[in-house]
Structures are given as C-alpha cells and as structure tokens.
Amino acid sequence: MSFESHTDLSRRRLLGAGMALGGLALAGCASTAGSGPSIGHVVVVGGGFGGSTAARYLKLWGGNIDVTLVERSASFVSCPISNLVLGGHKQMADITRGYDGLRAVGVKVVQGEVTAIDAAAKKVRLAGGGELAYDRLVLSPGIDFMLDGIGGLAAAIDSGRIAHGWKAGPQTVALRRQLEAMPDGGVFAMAIPKAPYRCPPGPYERACMVASYFKVAKPRAKVLVLDGNPEITSKKGLFEKAFKDHYAGIIEYRPNNELKAVDGNTAKLEFDDVKADVLNVIPPQRAGDLARSAGLLNMNNRWVGVNWLTMESTAAAGIHVLGDATFPAPAMPKSGHMANQHAKVAAAAIIQLLKGEAVNATPVVMNTCYSFVTARDAVHVASVHQFDATDKTFKTVPGSGGVSAAANQVEGRYALSWAHNIWADMLAL
Ligand SMILES: Cc1cc2nc3c(=O)[nH]c(=O)nc-3n(C[C@H](O)[C@H](O)[C@H](O)COP(=O)(O)OP(=O)(O)OC[C@H]3O[C@@H](n4cnc5c(N)ncnc54)[C@H](O)[C@@H]3O)c2cc1C
C-alpha cells in the first residue's frame, strides 16, 4: 500500500469514526448552514485537539449554528511529533498549522485569551475587556503545571534555564537549542512526574528521540531518565526493547526517582543528586488555569469531572469540558486522539441539547497513540471505550485494542499519516 493511499484510507476511517460517534446527529451531517434561524451560539475556548475538533464538528453537524473559537495562539502547534523536532528529524514548520480551514467552514476564530467565565450570565470575558455571550460553552484548555511542590522549578522555568517542552511551541525550540549546545560527553536528564500526566508514552518517546540524535551527533553523550513512577507507564516492553536494541550505553532508565527540587542543573531526588548538562523537567499537571479559576476542578482539586454523555462539567451547567482537563474514565489516556473523540461526543450532544432532542445514550470512543523509537520506526497502543449506563462512565471494550508486536517502519509511516489526518480532521484542512 502506498503512503498516499494509506493516508486517504486513514482519513476515511477517522472521519467514519467521528460520524459513528455522532449517533443521532448523523442527520446533521447532511445539513448545511443556510436557511432558517440559528439554533444557538457556542463559544469554544482553546484551539488545540479538543477545542478545534469541537468547533469544526459543531459546524459540520449543526447546520445553522454560530460557533466562535477563542485561542490565545495565532497557530496550532502539535505536541504529537514534537519529540521528532527534539531529535532533529522534523522542523517546527512540520508541526505547525493555521486556523484558516476553520474560518473557511464558518467558525469565527478570535485570537485572544479568555480570562473569566460568568456561568450564571453565560458570558466569557476576554483579555482586553471584551465579552462573548454564549448558549453553550466548550472548554478545552489543556493542562497547566503544579510547580509549587518542586523547589526552584518555577524560577528555573521562568528564567528559561529549564525547558519542559510539554506544550509544543517556544518550549520545543528552547529544548532543542539546549540539546544542540550540549557538549559531546554531556548528560541530558529528564524527570517524569507521577501519573496521571498528558501523554503517558511521550517521555519514553522523547528519551528515544534525544538518544537517536546523540547517537549520530554526540556519540559520547548520555540520556538519563529519572522516572517518578515505579515502571515505564505505557508500551513498557516495547520501550525496554528499544532502549536495549538501539540505545544500550546511551539511555539509562531509573524508576522510582521522583524529583523533589532543582538547583541549577542539578536534579534533587529523595536519596540522590543528579547533575546534568541539560535538565528537562516534565512537571506534574492539572487542568488548565481557566478551568481552575472558573471553579471547575472538582476531582482531586486537579481535574474536571464530566457527564460522559454530554461532556458537561459536573460542577457547572452549560459548560462542556474536553481533553486533558477532564478527570479520565478508567484506562482513558490523556491524548490528542482522545480529546478529538471527546469533542465529537460533545458536539453531537450540544446540537441535540440546543434542538431539544435526546442525546446519544450509547457513545463509543477510541484511542490510538503512536510513539517513535527511532527516526523511522514506531509502535502504537490502541483501545476502544464504550459508555456503561450502569456506572455512567466509559469502560474499555474487552478484547479491543492492544499494542504493536514490534517496532517497524510501516508503523512509522502510519504514525505520520495519523498526525496529518487528525490535524486535517480537527482544523478542516
Ligand atoms: C511530547 C508530547 C507528545 C505527544 N504525543 C501524542 C501522540 O502521539 N498522540 C496523541 O494522541 N497525543 C499526544 N500527546 C498528547 C496531546 O498533545 C494532548 O493530549 C492534547 O494536546 C490534549 O488536547 P486538549 O485540547 O486537551 O489540549 P491542547 O491541545 O493543549 O489545547 C489547549 C489549547 O487551549 C488554549 N488555551 C488555554 N487556555 C486558554 C485561554 N484562557 N484562552 C484562550 N486559549 C486558551 C491553549 O493555547 C491551547 O492551544 C503528546 C503530548 C506531548 C507533550
């Protein structure tokens, strides 16, 4: 199968999945904006994986619906594939896309920051003073960091000495520069927080990508993985094999090494200090700041609880929350693919609620997450999650999904196709 035909096939599959999710909203797929009054105004905050998908599918399925997307950045920069930029295998332009596709399908895209939500008055406030009224609000603000528990970290990130690289964009560029400037024979140390965090396999992919760069450009340099978890949290056997087969003598993996503080480029652990030439800290995470200031963090004071049939917050009516900000259903990862699926559940439900119809009672969502272990070879993990009416949550479908048998180049091509297809799906490219 050629790369091209796989891309087309994947796009059809991805969109097909979205249509299956739409359930009762399928009728809306055929409708186009045009005649008749608007069924309502939906404001979407956050133009990442969840928010962009929601904006696009509200228009696609909703027909006469007004959709405004507020995003603080001028363009979308993808976390998926950003580890390949760190490895020198891709450039920032490869993971950056614009919002013109969404504009072309009728989404009003506002570049700006939402600073406050008035749930009672159904309004959001913008930095600079403007306000937007809504009938339904969608929030997909991603994550922000819990820096207080790690001494010295906030100041180190503020000063630019430590780059987390866990939100793609300037942080990715800064970390790549540090890697380029590091001497051959130097040590790159990466601290991984305890789960849950955004993208469970992402840190181990990063270790592989940095090691693949060192193997060619700085053969005496080392990668030290300081994991706050007792073991590799995703695709364990596949990453262990990659570390051994491709990076023996380069990557050293240390479990149960939770970061307590930073001092210069020294990572202070419970029993040990580790001095690095480049120290990359992935900080512990919670739902994005806007969800917190709006009082939505009702799960462990960290995440937003949602009604899985509508993605509506259990803390505030009329506010639908997507993606990494949510308290996950069992075995549901914080991934771009899952945020895209949340968005489709929410878009279908919002249209039905605005029309006074019943929402789909049997949603199904799925996840696929690829990780590169060399510049060309990738592995994947996949799962299918079905709504359980008794426990009112998504549960993994027994026997669904699984992981790759082995890393290979075909999966590397699939991984790039996945990225291009999901960007096209969410941004209407
Ligand atoms: C290194 C790395 C690799 C990854 N690889 C994969 C992968 O291979 N596959 C996968 O599925 N997932 C992957 N992920 C995870 C994926 O990036 C996230 O799960 C996904 O981005 C979550 O989508 P979201 O919509 O919740 O948040 P985001 O995509 O982060 O979007 C949030 C958006 O909201 C905006 N925003 C926040 N607050 C405001 C505000 N107040 N006003 C205006 N705008 C605001 C932000 O600017 C941002 O654009 C990876 C993550 C990392 C860090």
Side-chain angles (χ1 to χ4, degrees):
M1 186 185 288
S2 72
F3 179 83
E4 207 46 49
S5 63
H6 174 70
T7 304
D8 293 344
L9 184 65
S10 303
R11 176 170 294 147
R12 281 200 303 277
R13 278 196 190 133
L14 197 64
L15 290 171
M19 291 172 86
L21 276 161
L24 295 176
L26 270 175
C29 296
S31 64
T32 51
S35 59
S38 167
I39 61 168
H41 182 211
V42 182
V43 171
V44 181
V45 183
F49 278 87
S52 293
T53 308
R56 199 248 169 133
Y57 277 80
L58 281 162
K59 284 306 279 187
L60 190 64
W61 289 340
N64 286 322
I65 187 167
D66 295 309
V67 181
T68 304
L69 173 67
V70 187
E71 163 57 48
R72 60 162 77 99
S73 305
S75 347
F76 164 77
V77 186
S78 176
C79 285
I81 313 297
S82 68
N83 282 329
L84 277 77
V85 176
L86 297 180
H89 310 307
K90 292 284 176 196
Q91 304 300 315
M92 288 303 287
D94 297 320
I95 60 168
T96 305
R97 296 289 182 276
Y99 289 105
D100 283 350
L102 289 179
R103 290 187 183 94
V105 298
V107 175
K108 187 174 177 206
V109 181
V110 175
Q111 189 189 347
E113 172 98 16
V114 172
T115 53
I117 299 169
D118 184 339
K122 295 193 166 182
K123 284 192 296 203
V124 298
R125 192 173 318 129
L126 300 169
E131 284 184 344
L132 288 170
Y134 62 81
D135 296 302
R136 294 251 157 202
L137 180 64
V138 176
L139 284 191
S140 197
I143 47 133
D144 275 299
F145 300 117
M146 303 191 304
L147 302 175
D148 291 350
I150 302 177
L153 184 57
I157 291 177
D158 277 355
S159 71
R161 188 164 45 74
I162 289 182
H164 52 76
W166 220 241
K167 292 185 185 186
Q171 281 283 314
T172 318
V173 174
L175 190 51
R176 173 67 192 167
R177 286 205 182 117
Q178 290 184 355
L179 290 167
E180 284 172 352
M182 198 185 94
D184 191 6
V187 172
F188 167 79
M190 172 178 51
I192 306 174
K194 281 196 166 134
Y197 57 85
R198 151 179 283 186
C199 193
Y204 313 105
E205 177 188 59
R206 175 170 292 179
C208 290
M209 289 300 93
V210 173
S212 72
Y213 166 59
F214 287 169
K215 209 169 162 175
V216 176
K218 304 177 198 263
R220 293 186 302 117
K222 303 277 181 243
V223 174
L224 184 54
V225 182
L226 305 170
D227 198 338
N229 298 285
E231 59 180 13
I232 291 175
T233 59
S234 176
K235 306 173 194 165
K236 179 170 182 266
L238 292 163
F239 280 119
E240 283 174 346
K241 185 162 166 47
F243 291 179
K244 185 161 139 288
D245 289 356
H246 298 289
Y247 309 116
I250 301 178
I251 295 182
E252 181 186 333
Y253 176 74
R254 295 189 193 171
N256 291 314
N257 272 242
E258 191 181 4
L259 184 68
K260 301 291 183 193
V262 297
D263 180 6
N265 275 355
T266 298
K268 299 182 106 40
L269 311 164
E270 195 168 4
F271 301 113
D272 204 3
D273 285 356
V274 170
K275 180 145 177 40
D277 296 276
V278 174
L279 179 58
N280 171 216
V281 178
I282 303 168
Q285 296 149 37
R286 57 165 170 75
D289 284 342
L290 183 62
R292 182 166 74 161
S293 63
L296 303 181
L297 305 197
N298 58 354
M299 301 304 284
N300 305 330
N301 203 21
R302 208 171 159 186
W303 310 109
V304 183
V306 293
N307 169 348
W308 291 109
L309 288 180
T310 59
M311 302 303 298
E312 196 166 358
S313 156
T314 51
I319 303 179
H320 301 255
V321 182
L322 316 175
D324 289 356
T326 58
F327 182 75
M332 181 180 270
K334 294 190 179 297
S335 72
H337 198 132
M338 189 51 75
N340 169 280
Q341 301 279 287
H342 288 175
K344 290 170 182 172
V345 172
I350 288 169
I351 292 162
Q352 287 159 327
L353 290 167
L354 288 173
K355 289 181 172 172
E357 297 170 357
V359 302
N360 178 14
T362 56
V364 179
V365 296
M366 61 175 187
N367 182 67
T368 307
C369 180
Y370 289 95
S371 302
F372 279 86
V373 297
T374 71
R376 287 164 176 260
D377 297 337
V379 292
H380 80 271
V381 59
S383 51
V384 181
H385 308 250
Q386 187 161 34
F387 184 73
D388 181 294
T390 307
D391 291 338
K392 297 189 170 39
T393 188
F394 280 103
K395 292 187 178 171
T396 44
V397 175
S400 70
V403 296
S404 314
N408 59 65
Q409 289 194 16
V410 174
E411 290 220 25
R413 290 191 355 236
Y414 288 178
L416 293 177
S417 293
W418 171 88
H420 286 279
N421 286 321
I422 203 160
W423 298 337
D425 187 48
M426 59 193 266
L427 296 165
L429 298 175

